[in-house]
Amino acid sequence: MSRRTRQRDAILSAFQHADRPLSPAELRALAGRSVPSLGIATVYRNVKALLDDGTLRAVNVPGQPDRYELAGKQHHHHFHCRACDGVFEVAACPGGLAALAPDGFHTEHHEIVLFGLCSQCA
């Protein structure tokens, strides 16, 4: 378990309130409302510690830097808005994707990222 600090509490609160994957810059802006002196280096340091202890997980969006979200959520996918660059959770999964693998292949995991405009940008 990571050491509790005002900065870490603000970062975790930002994830809980946003309820979506966040970039370090988004995280800095949101958590900075509670701790105005929060710097980007502190954000990166805390994200690394929270990844290491399993509190966060990385969200990979092709062609983009990783975003981060709270770990332990049920299986889900993501939507990347090409206008505001936000990443949002998609609760549904079409399932049955293992059947798409070539004969003799064994699927262990899949990720789906949808691209377009979010409701605010559409």
Side-chain angles (χ1 to χ4, degrees):
M1 177 71 176
S2 300
R3 187 171 70 96
R4 281 192 66 172
T5 63
R6 277 182 351 125
Q7 292 88 347
R8 186 154 303 159
D9 287 346
I11 287 168
L12 289 171
S13 179
F15 279 112
Q16 291 163 346
H17 286 96
D19 196 32
R20 68 179 187 83
L22 298 171
S23 69
E26 290 172 316
L27 194 51
R28 164 48 196 104
L30 291 172
R33 294 176 185 166
S34 299
V35 182
S37 62
L38 182 68
I40 195 70
T42 301
V43 169
Y44 276 106
R45 197 169 36 254
N46 277 276
V47 165
K48 181 183 180 333
L50 293 166
L51 284 167
D52 290 347
D53 77 7
T55 301
L56 296 182
R57 77 173 203 92
V59 174
N60 306 107
V61 176
Q64 296 284 316
D66 283 347
R67 306 308 204 283
Y68 304 94
E69 67 183 359
L70 293 172
K73 296 182 178 186
Q74 290 191 356
H75 178 73
H76 63 280
H77 298 289
H78 297 95
F79 182 99
H80 179 237
C81 179
R82 63 181 173 78
C84 70
D85 204 31
V87 175
F88 305 88
E89 292 184 6
V90 176
C93 177
L97 297 174
L100 298 175
D103 288 339
F105 284 61
H106 176 75
T107 302
E108 295 177 341
H109 180 72
H110 69 266
E111 290 285 336
I112 296 173
V113 179
L114 304 173
F115 296 88
L117 298 176
C118 71
S119 62
Q120 295 292 337
C121 295

